[in-house]
Amino acid sequence: MAFKVFSTSPTFGYSAHEPVEYLRSHQCEVELVPPGKKVAEEELVRCLGEIDAVVVGVEKITETIVRACRRLKIIAKHGAGVDNIDVKAASNKGIVVTNAPGTNSDAVADLTIGLFLALARRIPFADCSVREKRWPRIVGVQLNGKVLGIIGLGQIGKRVARRASGFEMKVIAYDTVKDEGFAKEWEIAYLPLEEVLAQSDFLSIHVPLDPKTLRMIGERELGLMKKEAFLVNISRGDIVDEEALYKALRDGKIRGAALDVFSSEPPFESPLLSLDNVILTPHMGAYTVEALRETGMICARNIVDLLEGRRPRFVVNPEVLK
């Protein structure tokens, strides 16, 4: 009997076809949500009733959805963060949750550097000006010699730090878990959060969303930053208090910001859209062909391993397997 696999992720199986081919070669029937379609909770409740495995992106997998899953054995996150999945509800029902950590780290780090440059040299404004047949003299700033503050020196943060060294930036970092060996090798100073905020010319956020990081950058923290500083958030939208950020940008308390993630996505009602000192991108940090292929293959292998009686590689709730 074939296993039934359903994907709610808009990127699984489209830019990279190998994961779907792998599943089908292992007796799996695969159904993909069409690109651009957002699946509501009620529809997921209907769709997942007779499914063995589901691949999910950023859409929420709630307790209501989990309770409706009669055959579901595994929820495979097409990415690293599982804050959109009710892991406790899944565990209570004996459903394994897996993820794919580290597969998109280089892609996210690349975009982070790209956003630094776009902010520093006002690249989006320059492009729009020429398209509108204007030819302004745009004065930006350089990256070399500037201080980069990294909040969260994990897999992505480390890759950003390595790339920043090529621009001769001084890197400082805040993290609750310290890798002293890496910091020594790359001449990075660990500092308290307040000092990182106060010293940074560019501030980059790379921490997971959890109760401790929820709105960790708010009005007080933004008030500690330099007026000429830039903030980049490519982690999770709710780590930054968007209302406080809007006010800080509007009032010139910081120079600019670039956001790839938002509290509500898409952020079409956000007042941030009215500001010209913020760059907004559509949660695209992990989306490169290379990263999607690797992430998708890990999802596919996790699913096949579990359905064929083996332990998946990346299990978020290992207590279920006991």
Side-chain angles (χ1 to χ4, degrees):
M1 182 181 71
F3 297 114
K4 293 185 177 181
V5 181
F6 186 83
S7 171
T8 67
S9 170
T11 52
F12 178 80
Y14 287 105
S15 297
H17 305 292
E18 293 91 338
V20 172
E21 294 168 0
Y22 180 84
L23 288 170
R24 288 174 175 159
S25 71
H26 287 79
Q27 295 184 305
C28 292
E29 295 177 359
V30 184
E31 182 179 352
L32 307 179
V33 168
K37 180 179 179 181
K38 294 195 72 173
V39 186
E41 183 181 64
E42 302 79 30
E43 189 172 353
L44 283 174
V45 167
R46 292 194 304 271
C47 292
L48 301 184
E50 300 301 325
I51 295 297
D52 296 292
V54 60
V55 179
V56 303
V58 297
E59 49 285 336
K60 290 187 179 298
I61 304 299
T62 64
E63 183 179 5
T64 300
I65 294 170
V66 171
R67 283 203 309 264
C69 298
R70 294 180 289 275
R71 284 173 45 178
L72 192 66
K73 303 171 184 65
I74 178 171
I75 299 171
K77 175 62 187 279
H78 192 233
V82 294
D83 49 280
N84 61 312
I85 300 170
D86 193 327
V87 178
K88 182 178 179 181
S91 298
N92 289 340
K93 200 162 182 183
I95 299 170
V96 173
V97 179
T98 65
N99 66 347
T103 56
N104 57 27
S105 297
D106 284 310
V108 175
D110 284 352
L111 182 60
T112 301
I113 296 297
L115 292 174
F116 290 167
L117 290 166
L119 285 168
R121 300 305 303 270
R122 302 182 67 193
I123 294 172
F125 173 73
D127 176 75
C128 288
S129 297
V130 176
R131 292 177 187 276
E132 294 170 359
K133 299 181 180 179
R134 293 182 289 118
W135 198 253
R137 284 288 172 260
I138 299 172
V139 179
V141 297
Q142 297 174 192
L143 298 188
N144 63 295
K146 299 300 189 300
V147 177
L148 167 61
I150 298 177
I151 298 177
L153 197 63
Q155 291 194 57
I156 296 172
K158 288 174 180 174
R159 284 167 168 78
V160 172
R162 292 189 187 106
R163 287 159 170 75
S165 70
F167 288 91
E168 300 176 348
M169 301 181 82
K170 175 185 176 182
V171 181
I172 58 178
Y174 166 77
D175 205 321
T176 55
V177 178
K178 297 178 174 60
D179 185 338
E180 300 289 358
F182 180 86
K184 182 178 180 181
E185 179 184 358
W186 292 91
E187 298 182 348
I188 299 169
Y190 280 110
L191 297 174
L193 178 60
E194 289 76 10
E195 292 188 35
V196 171
L197 292 167
Q199 294 184 30
S200 297
D201 300 302
F202 292 84
L203 183 71
S204 188
I205 301 171
H206 302 286
V207 293
L209 178 62
D210 59 36
K212 292 182 180 179
T213 62
L214 178 66
R215 293 183 179 84
M216 71 180 296
I217 305 299
E219 183 177 359
R220 184 186 76 86
E221 290 75 21
L222 292 166
L224 296 173
M225 295 177 65
K226 299 176 181 179
K227 288 190 68 174
E228 295 299 308
F230 296 103
L231 178 147
V232 172
N233 184 16
I234 201 165
S235 184
R236 285 292 185 267
D238 282 324
I239 292 169
V240 176
D241 183 331
E242 288 183 6
E243 183 177 355
L245 177 61
Y246 167 75
K247 291 177 180 178
L249 289 166
R250 180 196 64 189
D251 299 340
K253 293 183 178 179
I254 63 173
R255 185 168 184 170
L259 307 176
D260 187 49
V261 290
F262 306 87
S263 295
S264 177
E265 295 182 356
F268 295 154
E269 304 304 318
S270 173
L272 289 165
L273 274 69
S274 66
L275 301 176
D276 61 6
N277 58 344
V278 59
I279 297 171
L280 310 173
T281 54
H283 203 145
M284 66 186 208
Y287 297 160
T288 64
V289 172
E290 296 86 351
L292 290 172
R293 181 184 298 115
E294 186 175 359
T295 304
M297 285 305 301
I298 287 178
C299 287
R301 290 190 184 106
N302 283 340
I303 289 170
V304 169
D305 284 346
L306 185 81
L307 296 181
E308 293 185 352
R310 298 183 296 275
R311 183 187 179 93
R313 185 179 176 191
F314 299 107
V315 179
V316 176
N317 54 346
E319 65 275 9
V320 172
L321 294 174
K322 295 179 182 178

